[in-house]
Amino acid sequence: MSDSLQTLTDEALHALEQCADDDSLQAWKVKYLGQKGVVRDLMNKIASLPVEERKPYGLAVNGFKEALSHAYEARLQALQDAKLARDLEEGALDITMPGRPRQVGGLHPSTQTLRQIYAIWADMGFQVYKSRDVEDDDTNFTLLNIPPHHPARDMQDTFYTTEPNIILRTHTSPGQIRAMRDLGQGGTQPIRVILPGMCYRYEQITPRSEVQFHQVEGLVIGRNIRMSDLKGTITAFARRMFGEQAAVRFRASYFPFTEPSMEIDVECFLCDGQGCRICKHSGWLEIAGSGMVHPTVLRNGGYDPTQWSGFAFGMGPERMTILKHGIEDIRYFWANDIRFLEQF
Ligand code: DAH
């Protein structure tokens, strides 16, 4: 290193030793290591040197820069340590004070219910099949045996998009068609899936209805699937979900995509079937719609209904969550109000 560089180094390090607070330290850094600082200046001189001097000069300046950077870091650390020691001594820092609790996130109540549902069905051999949120009109309705002028379309006020025939799915049932076509290999393979996802309906938002909500659809296709399979499977699910002693009942109902169709109730777990406000004093809570897959739907999925049969169901996780926790207003679910979310 040349003598002048050595002198500069001594000067700089000496000046650094004099820095006793943040301000002077920063000023030193600007002076030596800054954009227009001493190091930069020296670097700029390289171009004006004879070629053979450039390399040794560059190396020397780099060494200078390194030495200053290291010294700076060390000084910074020393000042911080000294401040900490002073604070401790003066009692400005009470290390016996309990720490502030850290806010940790939690799972949304719907997510908790969904995961519980997934786990139970997974134990029974059901895989999760993710269908799409943006559907076509055909799959959402027509292929599910709901023709254009069928009165059941009134039950589902639909969000239409600007694309013709492209809508937001109003239920997870169209996933049945997609699962059959996708997994069935031309109607030759059995299927056992659940299809969870968000559904959308163009409705007035009230304490009891929202424009978006989850459903978990279930679909089983096989060669000899019967109503007793449906009843046994759903009962097993309900016992895991609502307790071993939970009674389940099946009520005749109507859905265009199942025949016969049933509504599934469990005994009210809030009053043990005695009758309360939540179950409207009936002792029963409705948890799902279900039925044997309609032959037309089987055919639309690529299966021969004389050889194959199946059952399906659709349940609402938000509804289950509402019942479980006695939540009074469904609008809380997507309002993102921390006071609601933090209760779960
Ligand atoms: N898709 C129906 C709804 O949104 C629910 C449903 C009923 C699904 C019966 C099914 C079923 O798979 O078999 O109200």
Side-chain angles (χ1 to χ4, degrees):
M1 197 186 289
S2 72
D3 283 354
S4 61
L5 212 45
Q6 186 57 56
T7 315
L8 256 182
T9 311
D10 292 343
E11 258 175 46
L13 295 182
H14 180 71
L16 187 62
E17 283 306 310
Q18 310 302 310
C19 299
D21 54 33
D22 278 353
D23 287 348
S24 51
L25 195 63
Q26 275 321 300
W28 183 92
K29 192 181 182 192
V30 170
K31 176 172 174 195
Y32 286 98
L33 299 169
Q35 291 291 347
K36 296 180 179 154
V38 174
V39 170
R40 201 44 343 185
D41 253 11
L42 293 171
M43 295 275 190
N44 290 342
K45 290 208 178 93
I46 266 194
S48 62
L49 292 178
V51 176
E52 65 282 6
E53 280 175 33
R54 286 184 190 172
K55 191 171 172 190
Y57 177 83
L59 280 172
V61 174
N62 260 335
F64 175 63
K65 182 183 170 189
E66 288 281 284
L68 262 52
S69 300
H70 282 136
Y72 170 80
E73 293 299 334
R75 186 70 188 149
L76 183 66
Q77 189 63 51
L79 286 179
Q80 281 171 354
D81 289 350
K83 177 169 185 331
L84 187 64
R86 240 180 296 120
D87 285 351
L88 278 173
E89 203 156 304
E90 290 166 9
L93 196 63
D94 179 2
I95 57 168
T96 64
M97 206 165 89
R100 290 197 191 92
R102 193 182 286 189
Q103 275 273 13
V104 288
L107 291 177
H108 190 283
S110 287
T111 308
Q112 293 181 25
T113 307
L114 277 168
R115 290 195 180 179
Q116 207 181 345
I117 294 173
Y118 296 164
I120 297 170
W121 288 114
D123 282 351
M124 290 196 268
F126 285 70
Q127 292 189 324
V128 171
Y129 184 89
K130 288 265 185 184
S131 188
R132 57 187 68 180
D133 290 40
V134 179
E135 259 302 352
D136 54 72
D137 192 277
D138 252 13
T139 316
N140 194 81
F141 295 120
T142 315
L143 296 173
L144 288 170
N145 205 27
I146 318 176
H149 301 293
H150 195 286
R153 283 199 179 190
D154 280 353
M155 298 173 358
Q156 323 215 316
D157 290 286
T158 308
F159 278 113
Y160 288 88
T161 67
T162 47
E163 285 301 303
N165 298 321
I166 301 296
I167 62 165
L168 299 185
R169 67 175 166 200
T170 60
H171 53 171
T172 44
S173 303
Q176 289 188 31
I177 299 290
R178 299 206 176 269
M180 283 189 276
R181 291 183 173 179
D182 187 18
L183 307 172
Q185 293 176 28
T188 61
Q189 300 299 314
I191 290 180
R192 185 164 53 186
V193 290
I194 54 168
L195 309 103
M198 196 63 95
C199 304
Y200 309 85
R201 288 189 197 170
Y202 186 52
E203 296 201 61
Q204 184 79 32
I205 300 176
T206 71
R208 306 195 60 98
S209 67
E210 249 291 6
V211 293
Q212 65 174 74
F213 52 89
H214 286 100
Q215 282 189 347
V216 178
E217 191 87 10
L219 177 68
V220 174
I221 305 284
R223 285 223 176 250
N224 231 328
I225 304 294
R226 294 174 296 188
M227 185 98 122
S228 52
D229 298 310
L230 165 55
K231 292 177 87 171
T233 314
I234 294 276
T235 305
F237 168 82
R239 296 211 167 127
R240 289 258 332 252
M241 190 76 194
F242 302 105
E244 256 338 292
Q245 63 309 317
V248 180
R249 85 177 176 186
F250 296 81
R251 246 178 324 113
S253 184
Y254 171 76
F255 297 101
F257 31 89
T258 45
E259 181 59 38
S261 305
M262 295 173 297
E263 221 108 42
I264 301 161
D265 300 340
V266 303
E267 198 174 14
C268 180
F269 45 84
L270 298 160
C271 63
D272 287 328
Q274 297 305 300
C276 68
R277 198 174 57 84
I278 300 292
C279 65
K280 299 206 189 91
H281 303 283
S282 69
W284 295 93
L285 298 169
E286 185 191 320
I287 58 157
S290 73
M292 301 306 291
V293 180
H294 195 286
T296 302
V297 175
L298 278 172
R299 217 176 287 116
N300 290 339
Y303 288 86
D304 174 358
T306 66
Q307 302 295 316
W308 296 84
S309 55
F311 69 79
F313 56 84
M315 44 183 66
E318 274 80 44
R319 196 177 141 70
M320 289 183 192
T321 312
I322 281 173
L323 295 173
K324 187 166 157 201
H325 297 292
I327 298 167
E328 272 142 24
D329 194 324
I330 195 171
R331 293 174 298 182
Y332 287 134
F333 276 85
W334 319 125
N336 258 344
D337 187 331
I338 200 79
R339 291 168 300 179
F340 171 73
L341 297 173
E342 120 196 303
Q343 294 176 47
F344 301 94

